[in-house]
Each structure stands twice: as structure tokens, then as C-alpha cells.
């Protein structure tokens, strides 16, 4: 991206953050301090992340901030419209407003569930939304079990679409979406270390798991293996988010408030650390996995050699002796040992 393009994205990001602040100030006055503070915080983080990404030349972060801010603005506008149409401002407390909002969405029945599944598909293929934005609302509206099922269906569908984007449209399409550096780096990882590293990257939160689905389509990874990984790993991770956010494990009142604050702080710290040390962590992980793979190969070779008949070893020794006789200058193994 050219400097002019980066500057344009930076300006648009800042304008969207200003829009978030103004919309919150003028249209969210009936909501509590925490709700308004959340939107103000999103705007502040958006400005900070965009400025830092611009000056550090982190194009991927700048683009991600652009997409997330668009989503935040759309969500806030939808929030305001639903509040006006559903008369949520007539309620006294935020708890009553949220309950009214949940009732409005749940009353849509199958249509609301279909929209929720569609959002999961889009967040894999197009919108890199955080998990808390994708899974938590479903757990609050339909409960953890149903939210896990709906989100898993949408995420698996989106992952399959992402895989075939790489398989059918090829490297140029993936580079256009994920960037050249990311595409080439993870393609090399999958090509050299095999399928196991793909599973590890899907489990750990430090890697762009949705983009990795597209890159997997560029490699020799077959679709059956990819689908099995998606159907086992993704629902397990989604269920953790849904059951934790449903309020049944950690309540949203009493002692649960302090736990949620601690979880929020830990997530922020991990996000900052992953942003700063992701490259070092990737190098460490790849080196560990590479050494294990190398050890497995050596053990396999040794096992095959042990299975060879004794005649092979004798013939091999005779061949080495003849080579030394043909080359009078070649030192014997005993001479090498003495040296």
C-alpha cells in the first residue's frame, strides 16, 4: 500500500472513531456509564491502534482496525435504531434495556438464528471480528448450548468457504485478502512442518485462524483432513466462549463482576503481548515442532536400518574398504580416530 493509501485509511479510521464518540454522546445518553464508556473506549483504542500502525508501517493492523471500526459503527447505529423502535429508553436500568433487546431479537425466531449463523460465516470470510462480539450475544439470547451449535455451523461453513477460496482462486486471491507477507510465511510453515502445525495454530489464540483456512487451501492439505480439524477444534473453542459468557459459570453480578474485570484485563494484556511478541513466539513454536519432526524422521530411518538383513551391512563394509584401497590417500577410520 502506498503512503497516500495508508494516510487515507488512517484519516477514515479517525473519522469513524470521532463518529462513534458523537453518536454515543448524542444518542446513548439514556444508557448507563459502563455502556457509554465501552463505546468511548472502542473509539479511543481505534485511534491509538490506527496511529501506531500507521507510523510503525503495520498495514495489516491498519486494515483490521478499518474493518473493525466499520463493524463498530454499524453495530452502534443498529443499537440506536433498535433502542428507538423498541422503546428501550423507556426502561430505567441498563439490565432492563438489555433484557428488552434480548426479547426483541429472540422473538424473531428462526430468522434471528439464521442471521446469527450468517454473521459467523461472514466473520470467518470477510470480517475479522473478535470472539466476544461473535459468540457472547448468542449465548445471552439463546443460551450456551444453542449458541454453540449455531456458531459452530456458521464458523465451519465459513471455514470451508475460506479453504476453497485458496483452493480455487489461488494465491493471488489470498494475498489480496490476507497480505503477501502473511500468506507466504504461513504457506512455508505448512509446507515444511506438515499438518500438525495447522492444528496447533487453530487451537492457540496467537494466530489468525480464519486466514489460515484460506492459506490451507493453497497447500497440499486435503479437504477431508481440513474438515475433520474444523469439526473438532472449532466447536470445542466456541463452546468455551459460549458457556463462560452465558453467565452460568461466572455470573454477571456479585463476585462474578470482579472475575470478569480480571478476565478483561488479562485479555488486554495478552493482546498487547501477542502483538509485540508474536514473531518470537512463532519462531519458538516452529523450532520446537521442527526438532520433533526431525527426531521422528531420524528414528524412522534408524528403525528401517535395523530391519535390514546382516548381508547388507557386510556388503556395505566391503564397498567402503574397496573405496579406500582405490584411493591410497584416503585415511582410514583408525587414523581419523587418532587425529
Amino acid at each position: 500500500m502506498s503512503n497516500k493509501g495508508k494516510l487515507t485509511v488512517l484519516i477514515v479510521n479517525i473519522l469513524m472513531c470521532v463518529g462513534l464518540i458523537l453518536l454515543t454522546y448524542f444518542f446513548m445518553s439514556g444508557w448507563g456509564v459502563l455502556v457509554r464508556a465501552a463505546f468511548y473506549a472502542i473509539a479511543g483504542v481505534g485511534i491509538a491502534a490506527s496511529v501506531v500502525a500507521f507510523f510503525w508501517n503495520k498495514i495489516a493492523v491498519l486494515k483490521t482496525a478499518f474493518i473493525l471500526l466499520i463493524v463498530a459503527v454499524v453495530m452502534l447505529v443498529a443499537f440506536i435504531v433498535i433502542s428507538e423502535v423498541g422503546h428501550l429508553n423507556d426502561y430505567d436500568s441498563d439490565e432492563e434495556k438489555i433484557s428488552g433487546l434480548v426479547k426483541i431479537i429472540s422473538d424473531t425466531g428462526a430468522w434471528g438464528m439464521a442471521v446469527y449463523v450468517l454473521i459467523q460465516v461472514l466473520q470467518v470470510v470477510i470480517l475479522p471480528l473478535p470472539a466476544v462480539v461473535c459468540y457472547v450475544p448468542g449465548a445471552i439470547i439463546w443460551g450456551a448450548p444453542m449458541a454453540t451449535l449455531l456458531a459452530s455451523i456458521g464458523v465451519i461453513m465459513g471455514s470451508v468457504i475460506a479453504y476453497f477460496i485458496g483452493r480455487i482462486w489461488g494465491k493471488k486471491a489470498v494475498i489480496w485478502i490476507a497480505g503477501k507477507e502473511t500468506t507466504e510465511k504461513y504457506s512455508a510453515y505448512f509446507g515444511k512442518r506438515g499438518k500438525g502445525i495447522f492444528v496447533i495454530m487453530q487451537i492457540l489464540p496467537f494466530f489468525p485462524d480464519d486466514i489460515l483456512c484460506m492459506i490451507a487451501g493453497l497447500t497440499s492439505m486435503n479437504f477431508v483432513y481440513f474438515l475433520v480439524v474444523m469439526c473438532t477444534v472449532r466447536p470445542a473453542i466456541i463452546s468455551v466462549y459460549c458457556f463462560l459468557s452465558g453467565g452460568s459459570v461466572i455470573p454477571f453480578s456479585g463476585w462474578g463482576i470482579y472475575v470478569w474485570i480480571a478476565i478483561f484485563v488479562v485479555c488486554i494484556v495478552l493482546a498487547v503481548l501477542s502483538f509485540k511478541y508474536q514473531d518470537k513466539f512463532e519462531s519458538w513454536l516452529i523450532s520446537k515442532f521442527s526438532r520433533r519432526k526431525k527426531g521422528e524422521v531420524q528414528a524412522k530411518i534408524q528403525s528401517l536400518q535395523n530391519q535390514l538383513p546382516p548381508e547388507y551391512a557386510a556388503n556395505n563394509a566391503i564397498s567402503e574398504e574397496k573405496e579406500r584401497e582405490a584411493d591410497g590417500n584416503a585415511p582410514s577410520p583408525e587414523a581419523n580416530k587418532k587425529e
Side-chain angles (χ1 to χ4, degrees):
M1 182 183 291
S2 63
N3 291 332
K4 184 178 180 180
K6 290 190 295 184
L7 182 61
T8 302
V9 176
L10 175 64
I11 293 173
V12 172
N13 286 1
I14 293 176
L15 290 176
M16 285 192 290
C17 292
V18 172
L20 280 173
I21 294 173
L22 294 176
L23 287 171
T24 302
Y25 180 80
F26 287 107
F27 295 100
M28 297 292 291
S29 58
W31 288 78
V33 176
L34 288 178
V35 175
R36 285 178 288 154
F39 285 107
Y40 287 139
I42 291 173
V45 172
I47 292 175
S50 299
V51 172
V52 171
F54 177 79
F55 287 104
W56 283 6
N57 200 29
K58 298 288 186 179
I59 307 301
V61 176
L62 192 63
K63 290 180 178 178
T64 302
F66 173 76
I67 296 174
L68 292 178
L69 286 172
I70 290 177
V71 173
V73 171
V74 171
M75 288 181 62
L76 179 56
V77 171
F79 206 65
I80 293 171
V81 171
I82 294 175
S83 297
E84 294 295 329
V85 174
H87 303 288
L88 298 182
N89 292 323
D90 295 339
Y91 296 103
D92 295 330
S93 63
D94 288 349
E95 290 77 10
E96 293 176 334
K97 290 183 175 68
I98 294 174
S99 298
L101 178 63
V102 169
K103 187 177 184 304
I104 291 173
I105 298 175
S106 61
D107 287 345
T108 58
W111 285 106
M113 293 182 179
V115 171
Y116 183 70
V117 171
L118 179 61
I119 291 174
Q120 309 309 318
V121 175
L122 294 178
Q123 68 97 0
V124 175
V125 181
I126 301 174
L127 305 174
L129 297 176
V132 66
V133 176
C134 299
Y135 308 140
V136 172
I140 295 174
I141 296 170
W142 295 290
M146 180 58 70
T148 299
L149 176 62
L150 295 175
S152 298
I153 292 173
V155 168
I156 291 172
M157 290 173 59
S159 300
V160 170
I161 293 172
Y163 176 87
F164 280 106
I165 287 176
R167 182 69 75 192
I168 296 174
W169 281 283
K171 192 172 183 178
K172 289 184 178 180
V174 178
I175 288 176
W176 185 79
I177 297 172
K180 184 176 181 181
E181 181 180 355
T182 301
T183 302
E184 292 181 348
K185 178 174 67 174
Y186 289 112
S187 296
Y189 286 169
F190 296 162
K192 294 179 181 178
R193 279 87 187 182
K195 301 173 182 177
I197 194 67
F198 175 74
V199 179
I200 296 174
M201 289 182 175
Q202 288 294 318
I203 296 174
L204 296 177
F206 305 102
F207 302 99
D209 46 6
D210 298 330
I211 292 175
L212 295 181
C213 294
M214 298 184 188
I215 297 175
L218 300 175
T219 66
S220 59
M221 185 183 301
N222 62 74
F223 177 69
V224 175
Y225 177 85
F226 173 83
L227 187 61
V228 169
V229 173
M230 291 298 105
C231 291
T232 53
V233 174
R234 287 299 186 93
I237 296 174
I238 292 172
S239 65
V240 173
Y241 281 107
C242 290
F243 279 92
L244 283 178
S245 61
S248 57
V249 179
I250 303 175
F252 297 111
S253 60
W255 62 270
I257 295 177
Y258 301 101
V259 175
W260 281 114
I261 293 175
I263 292 174
F264 180 76
V265 172
V266 170
C267 289
I268 294 296
V269 172
L270 289 177
V272 173
L273 291 177
S274 64
F275 176 77
K276 187 174 182 180
Y277 298 107
Q278 182 176 357
D279 292 338
K280 293 182 179 179
F281 178 77
E282 287 180 4
S283 301
W284 176 83
L285 178 63
I286 295 300
S287 65
K288 291 290 183 181
F289 192 83
S290 178
R291 283 199 292 268
R292 192 190 72 174
K293 292 287 288 184
K294 184 178 180 181
E296 291 175 356
V297 172
Q298 290 177 343
K300 199 170 196 180
I301 293 174
Q302 185 64 38
S303 176
L304 292 174
Q305 288 178 345
N306 293 337
Q307 295 175 9
L308 293 174
E311 293 81 5
Y312 175 83
N315 292 335
N316 189 45
I318 293 172
S319 299
E320 291 180 355
E321 185 66 27
K322 289 182 177 180
E323 289 180 1
R324 286 195 298 270
E325 290 178 357
D327 187 4
N329 296 326
S332 63
E334 290 76 7
N336 288 331
K337 290 180 181 179
K338 292 180 181 179
E339 291 177 358

